[in-house]
Amino acid sequence: MTSTSTNEAARSATSDHLLEIPALSLVVLVGASGSGKSTFARTHFASTEVLSSDFCRGLVADDENDQSATKDAFDVLHYIAGKRLAAGRLTVVDATNVQPDARRSLVGLAREHDVVPVAIVLDLPERVCIDRNAGRADRTFGANVVRRQSGQLRRGLRNLKREGFRTVHRLTSEADVDTVTISRTRLYNDLRHETGPFDVIGDVHGCRAELEDLLVALGYEATRDAHGHPVNARHPDGRRAVFVGDLVDRGPDTPGVLRLVMGMVADGSAFCVPGNHESKLLRAMRGQNVRVSHGLAESMEQLAGESEEFRADVVRFLDGLISHYVLDGGALVVSHAGLSERLQGRASRRVRAFCLYGQTTGETDEFGLPVRYPWADDYRGQAMVLYGHTPVPTPEWINNTMCLDTGCVFGGRLTAVRYPEREVVSVPAARVYYESAKPFPPASPAPGADTLRNPQLQAVAGGPRQATRREPDVLDITDVAGRRVVETQHHGRISVREENAAAALEVMSRFAVDPRWLLYLPPTMSPVATSTRSDLLEHPDQAFDAYRAEGVGAVVCEEKHMGSRAVALVCRNLAAARDRFGAPGDASGAVWTRTGRPFFGSDVTKRLIERLGQAAESAGLFDELATSWLLLDAELLPWSAKAEDLLRHQYASVGAAARTALPAAVSVLEQAATSGLDVTPLLERTKSRQANAEVFTAVYRQYCWATEGLTGVRLAPFQLLASEGASHHDKTHAWHLDIADRLVAADGALFTATRRTFVEVTDPEAVGVAAAWWDDLTSAGGEGMVVKPAANLVRGRRGLVQPGLKVRGRDYLRLIYGPDYTEPVNLERLRQRGLNHKRSLAAREYALGLEALDRLAHGEPLWRIHECVFAVLALESEPVDPRL
């Protein structure tokens, strides 16, 4: 921020009655006791923004006037202020702050958190302060205290700037204080309101011709002056360029590059941040003593041939460049040398130094150049960071960051990234203009024309070329351990408890498939509200009522296959699997359960993936979707393929015991009745239990059959979750089911269709037909159906609508609640089941799954995707009735 002098600020306060302070700053109120600091703070700031030394003294001593507690009180104040500043919240310190030591510690706190320190000085006449204190019962000190504080204040006024305050506002009368208005201004680096689209351009280094070529490749149209010099360039679709700095030095036409970029910035068609070369050139043009090296001599010589007016414009332009920009609501950060998360959107010398020079280890390499610390390897921020500074032969995504300096001036390429598309566009250098002190390797040759709609496959002017993609880093346990908060687009912040994270870590580390495959876990699903029908626990009517209440007009009822939920990732071939996912174990895909565990061993999985890939190829899905992989949500049949142990030790043992014991009990009771004993109620109850047991056994048996390898295994896909560059939750369920039908048509021996019916919930006749269809399904032994909004992802009157409600049949529910759950006394008790927690869990897991798919489609790093996947698994540890 540009500072305002003390006198200028004082004049502003009395004439315009406006004090401007940065929206992110540490505001230090300075004034003697009785000057009205607390009243001023209450008037102009939220109560939560103000930290009072008196209040903190009361916290630690139960007495706001206990001066013996002052040290502890300020320890508390500094701690709270530090927490607020770390969170990016404006903080106001209400204390006298007339002593230099008190102010020095606060300026140090502001520097520690890279925020702007602002002083608002209430320099009121001593008599005003003394009279105010005399009228307050809690002020027991005399006028001498006020006189001493006023003297300390006036002696320190001239030093406030030297102490480190960026802005000082001085109020000298009661009228000043009463008429002032506070205006919060954005930091100059805060362009979150600028949403793009943008074209972020790497280090130009005086290569004006290549810059023109790149702008043409990006679709910009140049404007030239009377001498034929390009002085502006606009995009017909309103896109804007963002330059990452190092426009100057080394190349053949630094003035030409500056003329073009300055024109674009002035016109509003571009933004620009400074590089270290701009910083050095500015100092040199101002006559400061700088070392003329690394191409500065060439720039100075070229600029010497320009007019004095042009050189003055260059100085003004370079002087006005801001260290970095935060764009698109905080989703994009552009800086010359990159920027770690904690410094983004902040303002300090440390921030500017990082932006200009990056982080170094303090060492130099064999070429005499500083060794750069690889900050991007440790980056875990949510914003995409695009930067330059350190030339690389080929751009690569590293933890949602990319270096765009591809060494144009060294004979490499000039590179840009289209945002938000994440497409890389580059043009080759005409020749080597400057020999690098460190040998610059040539870019790798183009691999061919097999270009897919893939954030990692980059469009390059002159032909397709693939940017290298770094092998996914080893996941850091700190990414998932402890209490976590995950930001989601569709459900806001979702918290994960520490104990749930620990349980998920156990499952993930011991049993799950390789995390490079594990891109998604399906959410739990809530059942419908309890039916009002006397003999049923669940019925479709409640599903239709629920969606009708949310304003959802059309739904689809899908047959619920009694199997195991399965997610399948299939790649077109091994080469695609290796390129996109690293192909763990040289596999072309994987199939996993709701908890991330593999269904089969590697051999069976390999054969299953091959069949999936062949079917997708035959159905034309890879070509149609321009992708090398598909992620499918499905049901794998039979149930026994995964749950054989569960069946044998839980369901089969219950059925066998009941079929053995209950007939014998019925026989004994019948003999007792024949002998004249009144056992009729017990006999009827036992016969009912025997019938229930027979139905229970029949139900689970029809969901089981023998399999050997893939023989007997069936897969019922119902949704295409994602493909390269796209998550498909914006497609209707009709579209997804059509994809599934095409797979069934391609391989009917493996795939099985999902029967469905579409319903308008406001049409009583259609609702009745759908309910009858459910009746037929369940009467024939089917599990039931799932009712979903036909449009797929829907927001209703109360937020995110449940993605599906399961409606299970009367007989199937015996497996869930026990053979005798239909007995009236049991059924009545079960009607009291609570569904709120289950619904909340289903909504949160659904949002996390959507977030994982969106991050996958946007090409974000594995740890960002895995954060959401892990959170779904962690939420599964929340205590909720497992029968729901």
Side-chain angles (χ1 to χ4, degrees):
M1 294 241 355
T2 302
S3 302
T4 306
S5 72
T6 305
N7 292 335
E8 289 172 340
R11 287 197 297 272
S12 172
T14 55
S15 59
D16 298 332
H17 313 290
L18 179 68
L19 304 186
E20 291 187 346
I21 62 172
L24 176 54
S25 58
L26 177 64
V27 179
V28 179
L29 301 183
V30 184
S33 177
S35 60
K37 298 181 299 301
S38 297
T39 302
F40 184 88
R42 285 195 301 270
T43 302
H44 297 288
F45 301 98
S47 60
T48 53
E49 294 176 323
V50 180
L51 300 177
S52 163
S53 60
D54 288 345
F55 178 75
C56 291
R57 201 177 285 113
L59 284 178
V60 299
D62 293 329
D63 182 356
E64 293 189 355
N65 294 310
D66 185 352
Q67 297 302 310
S68 67
T70 296
K71 181 181 182 302
D72 290 338
F74 275 92
D75 285 345
V76 170
L77 187 149
H78 282 212
Y79 179 80
I80 299 173
K83 289 295 184 182
R84 288 186 57 83
L85 296 175
R89 303 187 188 283
L90 181 140
T91 302
V92 180
V93 177
D94 174 16
T96 57
N97 294 314
V98 295
Q99 296 175 330
D101 286 347
R103 296 191 297 268
R104 191 176 300 115
S105 63
L106 292 172
V107 170
L109 186 64
R111 287 173 175 167
E112 179 184 346
H113 295 282
D114 302 286
V115 301
V116 177
V118 175
I120 299 180
V121 182
L122 278 68
D123 186 14
L124 271 61
E126 287 181 10
R127 176 47 53 189
V128 171
C129 299
I130 291 170
D131 290 346
R132 287 177 176 176
N133 286 328
R136 293 180 56 178
D138 61 334
R139 296 295 168 92
T140 58
F141 49 81
N144 60 314
V145 172
V146 174
R147 293 191 183 97
R148 183 175 69 251
Q149 292 174 348
S150 296
Q152 291 172 324
L153 169 62
R154 294 196 174 95
R155 285 194 297 275
L157 271 177
R158 67 176 68 91
N159 297 319
L160 290 178
K161 284 295 188 66
R162 286 198 292 270
E163 288 176 6
F165 286 100
R166 194 81 64 88
T167 303
V168 177
H169 297 293
R170 183 183 174 202
L171 307 173
T172 58
S173 70
E174 291 180 89
D176 287 354
V177 176
D178 292 340
T179 58
V180 80
T181 300
I182 299 291
S183 173
R184 304 190 188 198
T185 60
R186 285 196 302 263
L187 292 176
Y188 293 143
N189 59 39
D190 182 2
L191 297 184
R192 286 175 291 181
H193 59 288
E194 299 286 358
T195 58
F198 302 113
D199 299 303
V200 185
I201 298 175
D203 300 35
V204 182
H205 279 303
C207 300
R208 191 261 313 154
E210 285 80 0
L211 176 56
E212 288 191 62
D213 290 345
L214 180 59
L215 289 171
V216 169
L218 291 167
Y220 288 77
E221 298 171 354
T223 301
R224 299 181 183 274
D225 63 13
H227 303 287
H229 300 141
V231 294
N232 193 8
R234 291 181 178 177
H235 198 287
D237 297 331
R239 301 180 70 92
R240 285 177 288 178
V242 186
F243 293 91
V244 305
D246 275 7
L247 304 171
V248 304
D249 293 351
R250 295 174 174 163
D253 193 0
T254 284
V257 171
L258 286 170
R259 185 178 290 108
L260 174 54
V261 175
M262 288 162 57
M264 293 178 70
V265 171
D267 182 59
S269 57
F271 301 98
C272 183
V273 299
N276 56 303
H277 284 262
E278 279 80 37
S279 177
K280 191 173 184 180
L281 176 61
L282 177 62
R283 297 196 304 273
M285 293 183 73
R286 284 175 165 169
Q288 297 177 18
N289 185 22
V290 297
R291 183 181 177 187
V292 180
S293 59
H294 300 294
L296 178 60
E298 288 81 354
S299 290
M300 295 298 289
E301 181 180 351
Q302 293 165 16
L303 286 166
E306 300 291 331
S307 68
E308 184 176 342
E309 180 183 4
F310 178 78
R311 291 196 299 272
D313 288 342
V314 169
V315 169
R316 282 191 293 271
F317 173 73
L318 298 182
D319 186 49
L321 295 178
I322 307 304
S323 65
H324 71 288
Y325 284 126
V326 180
L327 301 148
D328 192 17
L332 173 64
V333 171
V334 178
S335 164
H336 176 62
L339 198 59
S340 60
E341 182 181 23
R342 68 177 299 270
L343 300 180
Q344 293 168 8
R346 308 272 171 152
S348 69
R349 291 180 180 176
R350 174 166 53 183
V351 172
R352 187 170 181 84
F354 195 121
C355 292
L356 290 178
Y357 308 107
Q359 282 181 299
T360 62
T361 65
E363 304 168 298
T364 56
D365 61 19
E366 65 271 28
F367 303 101
L369 300 175
V371 176
R372 308 290 177 191
Y373 180 80
W375 66 272
D377 289 352
D378 299 325
Y379 182 70
R380 292 295 185 268
Q382 296 196 11
M384 179 193 301
V385 181
L386 298 177
Y387 64 103
H389 188 52
T390 304
V392 295
T394 313
E396 57 180 354
W397 289 107
I398 303 173
N399 291 330
N400 208 26
T401 76
M402 179 178 276
C403 178
L404 302 182
D405 182 0
T406 46
C408 182
V409 76
F410 303 132
R413 307 180 74 90
L414 185 60
T415 296
V417 166
R418 286 190 175 111
Y419 175 91
E421 300 88 343
R422 299 174 70 98
E423 295 175 3
V424 174
V425 178
S426 69
V427 296
R431 61 183 178 85
V432 176
Y433 297 103
Y434 193 90
E435 291 292 344
S436 173
K438 185 176 184 177
F440 182 74
S444 56
D450 183 20
T451 304
L452 306 176
R453 183 158 55 87
N454 182 338
Q456 308 307 334
L457 293 174
Q458 318 297 344
V460 181
R465 182 172 68 87
Q466 186 177 5
T468 61
R469 186 177 194 275
R470 176 171 292 190
E471 190 74 12
D473 293 335
V474 175
L475 294 172
D476 192 326
I477 193 171
T478 59
D479 291 337
V480 293
R483 185 181 182 277
R484 309 290 299 171
V485 176
V486 182
E487 292 280 356
T488 66
Q489 177 183 350
H490 300 287
H491 201 67
R493 294 162 64 89
I494 297 177
S495 299
V496 177
R497 296 188 181 97
E498 182 176 1
E499 59 271 26
N500 295 343
L505 187 60
E506 171 76 6
V507 174
M508 197 71 76
S509 60
R510 294 184 61 190
F511 307 111
V513 299
D514 190 295
R516 285 170 288 183
W517 294 132
L518 196 57
L519 308 174
Y520 177 82
L521 286 179
T524 189
M525 185 179 297
S526 175
V528 290
T530 303
S531 173
T532 57
R533 303 189 182 208
S534 60
D535 60 335
L536 292 175
L537 199 59
E538 297 179 7
H539 188 271
D541 284 347
Q542 279 62 50
F544 301 137
D545 290 344
Y547 285 123
R548 194 182 302 114
E550 289 284 359
V552 177
V555 299
V556 57
C557 304
E558 296 180 9
E559 170 189 12
K560 195 172 191 307
H561 300 279
M562 182 49 203
S564 302
R565 190 76 172 266
V567 180
L569 175 63
V570 55
C571 297
R572 192 168 198 172
N573 49 49
L574 183 56
R578 285 173 174 167
D579 174 67
R580 187 62 177 83
F581 302 106
D586 280 342
S588 295
V591 182
W592 59 88
T593 69
R594 278 199 65 240
T595 56
R597 306 178 190 223
F599 272 96
F600 308 110
S602 57
D603 291 341
V604 176
T605 299
K606 182 178 181 181
R607 295 202 301 274
L608 177 57
I609 292 299
E610 287 175 353
R611 291 275 294 276
L612 285 170
Q614 290 166 3
E617 194 73 72
S618 178
L621 297 181
F622 291 120
D623 289 333
E624 180 180 319
L625 298 170
T627 185
S628 63
W629 57 270
L630 303 169
L631 186 65
L632 294 162
D633 203 353
E635 196 82 4
L636 189 139
L637 310 172
W639 187 28
S640 53
K642 187 194 82 168
E644 185 175 351
D645 285 344
L646 178 70
L647 284 164
R648 179 177 292 112
H649 296 111
Q650 182 170 320
Y651 294 97
S653 58
V654 170
R659 292 195 311 276
T660 300
L662 291 174
V666 168
S667 177
V668 169
L669 289 170
E670 286 176 341
Q671 292 175 21
T674 302
S675 66
L677 294 176
D678 185 11
V679 294
T680 302
L682 180 57
L683 176 59
E684 293 303 317
R685 189 162 62 249
T686 306
K687 284 183 177 180
S688 177
R689 292 185 64 199
Q690 181 182 359
N692 291 341
E694 293 295 338
V695 175
F696 174 84
T697 302
V699 168
Y700 76 72
R701 281 179 173 172
Q702 65 184 325
Y703 303 138
C704 310
W705 58 81
T707 62
E708 183 176 351
L710 279 185
T711 304
V713 172
R714 306 296 299 275
L715 198 67
F718 51 82
Q719 190 160 355
L720 176 60
L721 297 166
S723 56
E724 191 61 77
S727 55
H728 297 293
H729 49 68
D730 59 336
K731 311 289 196 312
T732 66
H733 280 294
W735 182 88
H736 287 279
L737 291 167
D738 177 66
I739 295 287
D741 288 345
R742 289 163 63 180
L743 292 172
V744 173
D747 188 348
L750 175 63
F751 294 99
T752 189
T754 296
R755 292 176 286 176
R756 67 271 193 178
T757 182
F758 289 85
V759 181
E760 292 290 334
V761 297
T762 55
D763 182 349
E765 183 178 352
V767 166
V769 170
W773 183 66
W774 174 84
D775 234 351
D776 293 339
L777 280 176
T778 55
S779 298
E783 178 183 344
M785 69 185 187
V786 178
V787 184
K788 305 176 180 178
N792 205 348
L793 174 62
V794 173
R795 298 196 69 85
R797 298 188 176 111
R798 290 169 291 188
L800 198 63
V801 170
Q802 291 284 340
L805 294 171
K806 56 186 178 184
V807 189
R808 297 165 292 184
R810 172 182 168 90
D811 287 337
Y812 169 78
L813 284 173
R814 295 184 192 280
L815 301 181
I816 306 302
Y817 291 106
D820 299 323
Y821 93 98
T822 53
E823 296 299 316
V825 64
N826 294 333
L827 199 56
E828 187 60 33
R829 176 172 48 80
L830 290 173
R831 291 187 185 283
Q832 310 308 314
R833 61 184 187 166
L835 295 174
N836 287 341
H837 191 179
K838 182 72 170 182
R839 290 170 178 164
S840 169
L841 188 63
R844 284 177 285 150
E845 290 186 9
Y846 177 48
L848 286 165
L850 295 177
E851 185 68 20
L853 295 174
D854 285 340
R855 293 180 182 185
L856 172 65
H858 295 154
E860 296 198 30
L862 177 63
W863 73 266
R864 288 267 296 158
I865 300 164
H866 205 254
E867 177 185 43
C868 303
V869 176
F870 186 89
V872 172
L873 187 57
L875 291 185
E876 282 294 298
S877 298
E878 286 195 3
V880 65
D881 187 348
R883 301 171 299 178
L884 294 178

